[in-house]
Amino acid sequence: MVVVAGLRAFGAKGPSWLWRSPWAPLSAGFCSPGSAAPARPESEPRPTSTRQQDGIRNIVLSNPKKRNALSLAMLKSLRSDILHEAESKDLRVIIISAEGPVFSSGHDLKELTGARGRDYHTEVFQTCSEVMMLIRNHPVPIVAMVNGLATAAGCQLVASCDIAVASDKSSFATPGVNVGLFCSTPAVALGRAVPRKVALEMLFTGEPISAQEALRHGLISKVVPEEQLQEETMRIAKKIASLSRSVVTLGKATFYKQLPQDLRTAYYLASQAMVDNLGLQDGQEGIEAFIQKRKPVWTH
């Protein structure tokens, strides 16, 4: 797969999930899977780190000194890590976690001063929106593993992931209103994850909610003691990684496609997806294995 701009220039098509963004081509610095990241000064370490084993890719926000702020560099690095070999059958699930006591404090406010200018600000928020949509449209499930504070765009990142597991020490907030910058883009993900009145209270007051409150309102999937966070997140990831990638990919895409539709349209889309699922090799393998009372052997 080549860079999106190059694909458009030659009239080629990439994976369908990659074409759902309203911005095209993507902003400068976009890396195709397997391509080199933009040059970075040697004194500036890469703000994310990755490792992958047994189908599970761990992406770690690795700038705890700056509270893992979603600077433009952090966003571009995260985007590259999410996109890297996204179509590979060796990739089944992605976990996003962070170093230090803060999962992410949101955008780097030093990048949002008037001195940076409107064009730079536009790139920051466009890149952030691209990352959030890439998570939603990615072919494999993406899990947030949260231990600590997640605020503003950091809360947006959690809300954008398919699953979020948090420690009981975590908290979540959209405090932009307190510094004169309403959290309008975090509100997109937040407002789709929690009830409207909960989202608006968070947005209007900037006050944090606890992990238990976040669980009750649907922002996160599960709360566990801090010492059990990694174990429980890995348990979920390993379970997903053990399943058919093609089936899970179809299921994820269908879930989000039907969600905003009226009931009749939703059932139509889901019914078609079930038929498509039965047409998959793994769809038939799973049924045959169940009938024969054996463990299925997936294509991957």
Side-chain angles (χ1 to χ4, degrees):
M1 186 171 69
V2 295
V3 178
V4 170
L7 284 168
R8 284 203 175 279
F10 290 98
K13 292 184 178 180
S16 59
W17 64 270
L18 230 166
W19 294 96
R20 298 172 190 167
S21 166
W23 295 293
L26 298 176
S27 59
F30 176 87
C31 294
S32 65
S35 67
R40 180 180 289 104
E42 292 184 6
S43 59
E44 184 182 344
R46 195 166 188 272
T48 63
S49 60
T50 62
R51 62 186 184 278
Q52 183 169 324
Q53 184 176 2
D54 299 328
I56 301 171
R57 178 177 302 164
N58 288 274
I59 302 175
V60 184
L61 309 183
S62 303
N63 195 1
K65 290 183 179 180
K66 292 189 176 181
R67 297 162 61 90
N68 294 312
L70 295 181
S71 62
L72 186 55
M74 175 73 86
L75 288 167
K76 288 183 176 180
S77 187
L78 181 58
R79 181 175 62 186
S80 179
D81 291 340
I82 291 171
L83 281 169
H84 180 70
E85 295 184 350
E87 297 296 326
S88 171
K89 290 185 178 181
D90 292 331
L91 177 64
R92 320 279 175 72
V93 61
I94 293 173
I95 298 172
I96 299 177
S97 62
E99 294 179 12
V102 176
F103 177 78
S104 176
S105 59
H107 292 293
D108 185 347
L109 294 183
K110 291 181 180 179
E111 293 187 340
L112 305 183
T113 62
R116 290 283 191 171
R118 187 179 182 87
D119 288 347
Y120 187 88
H121 297 161
T122 298
E123 184 180 9
V124 168
F125 291 109
Q126 177 174 321
T127 305
C128 184
S129 296
E130 288 168 5
V131 168
M132 303 305 163
M133 287 188 292
L134 284 172
I135 291 172
R136 174 63 59 91
N137 295 327
H138 201 282
V140 306
I142 299 183
V143 183
M145 183 171 75
V146 186
N147 188 27
L149 184 64
T151 66
C155 183
Q156 179 185 4
L157 179 58
V158 175
S160 297
C161 289
D162 302 305
I163 298 172
V165 184
S167 76
D168 52 7
K169 294 185 178 180
S170 300
S171 57
F172 306 85
T174 50
V177 68
N178 294 323
V179 295
L181 183 64
F182 197 87
C183 284
S184 292
T185 45
V188 174
L190 182 67
R192 284 163 170 75
V194 305
R196 181 180 303 177
K197 287 180 171 57
V198 174
L200 288 173
E201 181 180 352
M202 292 178 67
L203 292 162
F204 289 154
T205 68
E207 295 177 352
I209 61 173
S210 68
Q212 290 296 342
E213 289 176 294
L215 176 65
R216 185 164 65 249
H217 296 310
L219 178 58
I220 59 178
S221 312
K222 185 170 290 190
V223 178
V224 296
E226 183 179 21
E227 61 273 15
Q228 297 176 20
L229 178 60
Q230 185 169 358
E231 178 184 357
E232 179 59 18
T233 305
M234 287 301 297
R235 184 193 68 78
I236 294 170
K238 287 178 179 178
K239 173 60 178 179
I240 295 171
S242 73
L243 303 172
S244 165
R245 176 184 157 119
S246 59
V247 170
V248 171
T249 294
L250 176 60
K252 174 177 173 175
T254 303
F255 177 81
Y256 287 121
K257 187 176 182 180
Q258 63 80 29
L259 203 58
Q261 307 297 329
D262 63 85
L263 193 62
R264 182 180 297 276
T265 304
Y267 271 118
Y268 172 78
L269 293 172
S271 296
Q272 291 299 308
M274 295 291 283
V275 174
D276 291 341
N277 196 154
L278 287 171
L280 294 174
Q281 183 176 337
D282 279 352
Q284 289 301 309
E285 166 62 17
I287 291 173
E288 290 175 9
F290 178 82
I291 293 172
Q292 298 169 10
K293 298 181 179 180
R294 61 175 175 82
K295 187 175 181 179
V297 180
W298 307 123
T299 53
H300 61 246

